[in-house]
Amino acid sequence: MKQSIIMDVDTGIDDSLALLYLLASDDAEILAITCTSGNVPAKQVAINNLAWLELCGAPDIEVSLGSEVPVLAPLMTTEETHGPQGIGYAELPAPKRSLSKRHATEVWIDLARRHPGEIVGLVTGPLTNLSLALRIEPELPKLLKRLVVMGGAFNHAGNTLPTTEWNIAVDPESAKMVFDAFSGLPADRRPIICALDVTEQIEMKPEHIAKIAEIAGSTPVEVIAESDVDGTLSSASNKVVKYLSDAVRFYMEFHVSHDQGFLAHMHDPFAAAMAIHPELGETKAATVDVELAGSLTRGQTVADWRGMWGREPNADIVVKVDPPRFFEHLTQRVGDYARRVG
Ligand code: BDR
Ligand code: CA
């Protein structure tokens, strides 16, 4: 049985690997990719997704443009983290595929109505599109099988401001609206939240890219070395390996320049894996809300672990992960896929 998925993304280096992972997964079917502004503007996000799909010769998955700005906050993007186009040093061939004529909100609503209780919604960017869709169809939380979100930081430092994580910080109003709207669901349908507390443990290292390349049968041996001149491009024979390596190298250079080591936090691929294999993380129920007013803490996700607010839990927060197990799973799938399509 394939798990149907709507991906809402701000592609993004780690969103790119999340996409490759789901394309590689025989137990998943991406019904649509909806694009939001975040890492880079939404139109560029859309181009990136179309380009990856075309590179992989993937099925004709609907790619739809969503909101180009957050509902209230001024847009911020982060080319510094993800590169000028959002995919690091990778320069993917321009896609010939075209964008859907439907807006992202229409796609979310139409698919959820047509497949009630079947679709997992996976959001690895700001929650703008989903919050806009909820205004039109407040029943979305009941129509979806489950929601999986990469976002937030609970007992962990932020990556945007001291207490805020990027996807929430870009559009805090949308995040609050989504957490509120997804309250009151049965325990087995509560949104799964993959926050920095665990996604910063998902450290991709050069050997993981080398492993994907090896499984893909790519030559020569794929080496991303910290001592390389910044921006050194891959000469991998396998095109998926080459562009993935060029993208991830940029992310590793970014992380090392921020004193996090020569590695890349693969937030979004982990969330994608939780969408089809929730056993890859251990969760704990809590009530989550978003600070909108704080002059220092606006955009902070707050988890009430002990029921102090007297509100039912509205989220299953991932509290424990097994990074080696995750990377074994990821590299095998993406490596096999790259061998098939690259
Ligand atoms: C999140 O922010 C983005 O930069 C990444 O793509 C990820 O979704 C991590 O905070
Ligand atoms: Ca993202």
Side-chain angles (χ1 to χ4, degrees):
M1 253 275 286
K2 283 179 187 279
Q3 176 57 60
S4 305
I5 293 180
I6 301 175
M7 292 183 83
D8 199 303
V9 294
D10 64 338
T11 318
I13 295 170
D14 56 335
D15 306 74
S16 296
L17 184 54
L19 172 59
L20 291 176
Y21 163 79
L22 288 179
L23 290 173
S25 294
D26 293 335
D27 46 5
E29 182 183 5
I30 305 171
L31 298 186
I33 303 173
T34 51
C35 305
T36 187
S37 290
N39 292 322
V40 289
K43 282 190 176 129
Q44 185 61 47
V45 169
I47 292 170
N48 294 344
N49 289 310
L50 290 166
W52 280 116
L53 292 177
E54 191 151 313
L55 182 83
C56 296
D60 207 7
I61 296 168
E62 180 170 16
V63 178
S64 147
L65 189 63
S67 183
E68 297 188 57
V69 286
V71 296
L72 187 67
L75 175 65
M76 50 177 182
T77 57
T78 184
E79 285 78 2
E80 176 208 15
T81 315
H82 290 267
Q85 266 90 44
I87 44 176
Y89 294 119
E91 290 193 15
L92 296 177
K96 295 190 196 70
R97 295 181 183 212
S98 46
L99 262 180
S100 167
K101 293 195 170 45
R102 305 200 292 176
H103 189 272
T105 51
E106 191 186 338
V107 173
W108 270 98
I109 294 166
D110 175 53
L111 289 173
R113 283 180 183 161
R114 278 201 281 139
H115 307 277
E118 289 176 19
I119 299 175
V120 171
L122 168 68
V123 183
T124 64
L127 288 144
T128 317
N129 292 333
L130 183 53
S131 81
L132 293 173
L134 280 164
R135 289 183 192 193
I136 304 167
E137 177 49 284
E139 294 296 304
L140 263 181
K142 290 190 191 131
L143 291 170
L144 291 173
K145 178 177 171 188
R146 204 140 193 191
L147 177 68
V148 178
V149 172
M150 190 285 128
F154 297 100
N155 303 324
H156 196 88
N159 65 355
T160 305
L161 288 171
T163 60
T164 56
E165 181 279 331
W166 175 259
N167 290 337
I168 308 295
V170 170
D171 192 346
E173 277 74 18
S174 286
K176 177 169 172 56
M177 188 169 174
V178 169
F179 284 117
D180 287 351
F182 279 76
S183 299
L185 292 169
D188 61 346
R189 299 182 71 173
R190 281 197 288 253
I192 297 175
I193 311 303
C194 308
L196 295 181
D197 310 54
V198 290
T199 63
E200 287 202 351
Q201 295 175 43
I202 306 294
E203 299 181 336
M204 180 170 245
K205 305 213 168 121
E207 57 261 35
H208 295 122
I209 293 291
K211 181 80 183 165
I212 289 172
E214 185 194 326
I215 297 170
S218 185
T219 55
V221 172
E222 189 63 17
V223 181
I224 302 180
E226 191 175 348
S227 55
D228 291 342
V229 174
D230 279 6
T232 301
L233 293 181
S234 166
S235 56
S237 60
N238 181 292
K239 61 183 191 289
V240 175
V241 171
K242 176 193 158 37
Y243 292 118
L244 177 64
S245 179
D246 289 344
V248 173
R249 175 189 287 275
F250 187 97
Y251 216 19
M252 289 180 175
E253 290 174 6
F254 167 80
H255 282 77
V256 84
S257 71
H258 285 70
D259 298 327
Q260 290 168 314
F262 196 64
L263 50 84
H265 294 142
M266 283 299 167
H267 315 275
D268 297 345
F270 176 73
M274 286 298 290
I276 46 177
H277 286 285
E279 74 281 2
L280 287 170
E282 199 178 302
T283 60
K284 192 169 172 210
T287 311
V288 173
D289 212 328
V290 180
E291 178 60 78
L292 296 181
S295 59
L296 298 175
T297 54
R298 179 173 148 77
Q300 179 175 351
T301 43
V302 181
D304 178 8
W305 300 100
R306 296 181 171 173
M308 291 172 173
W309 292 331
R311 287 156 53 191
E312 286 298 308
N314 62 352
D316 277 1
I317 300 174
V318 184
V319 290
K320 197 165 174 208
V321 291
D322 179 347
R325 180 175 172 212
F326 167 75
F327 276 111
E328 176 67 33
H329 173 79
L330 177 91
T331 53
Q332 193 62 52
R333 286 196 175 199
V334 175
D336 283 342
Y337 182 64
R339 178 187 280 275
R340 289 207 301 274
V341 304

